[in-house]
């Protein structure tokens, strides 16, 4: 099982405007509680974990959808370049 704590949350936050407010809502807490979690003054409660996991899964899905949409608008040569670059990144990452 994933350990959802301040570090885990911070690794995934992008700094996008309103993101922390949306995350707090997804977790079922107010922004003050999320702020305390991120500062290490409060722990993530078990009942808040599913909301955090769902929030970041949705954010990832939205980013992938946007990337796919953008790449699909490229011409065939540029799509091939993107694919080649992505495969090199995956290989470098060891995936």
């Amino acid at each position: 099982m994933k350990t959802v704590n301040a570090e885990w949350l911070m690794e995934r936050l992008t700094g996008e405007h309103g993101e922390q407010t949306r995350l707090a809502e997804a977790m079922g807490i107010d922004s003050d509680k999320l702020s305390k979690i991120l500062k290490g003054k409060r722990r993530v409660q078990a009942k808040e974990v599913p909301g955090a996991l769902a929030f970041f899964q949705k954010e990832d899905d939205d980013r992938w959808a946007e990337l796919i949409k953008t790449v699909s608008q490229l011409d065939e040569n540029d799509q091939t370049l993107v694919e080649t670059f992505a495969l090199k990144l995956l290989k470098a990452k060891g995936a």
Side-chain angles (χ1 to χ4, degrees):
M1 180 165 162
K2 295 179 182 181
T3 301
V4 177
N5 55 23
E7 182 180 342
W8 188 90
L9 294 171
M10 292 297 290
E11 287 173 357
R12 287 156 179 78
L13 288 169
T14 65
E16 179 183 318
H17 180 72
E19 180 182 39
Q20 289 186 22
T21 300
R22 294 191 310 275
L23 173 58
E25 290 172 0
M27 293 173 68
I29 59 177
D30 60 40
S31 295
D32 276 350
K33 286 182 181 175
L34 179 59
S35 180
K36 287 178 182 176
I37 290 169
L38 297 176
K39 292 177 183 176
K41 296 180 179 181
R42 180 183 185 276
R43 292 182 184 211
V44 176
Q45 304 299 305
K47 66 183 180 181
E48 299 160 357
V49 171
L53 294 173
F55 176 81
F56 286 110
Q57 181 63 46
K58 181 184 179 328
E59 293 287 306
D60 288 346
D61 290 349
D62 290 349
R63 288 185 190 109
W64 277 111
E66 185 62 30
L67 178 61
I68 290 167
K69 179 181 171 186
T70 301
V71 171
S72 71
Q73 294 171 357
L74 298 173
D75 66 37
E76 189 175 336
N77 288 335
D78 287 342
Q79 286 181 10
T80 301
L81 287 172
V82 170
E83 179 182 4
T84 301
F85 181 70
L87 291 171
K88 286 181 181 182
L89 284 175
L90 288 171
K91 186 176 180 181
K93 186 177 179 183

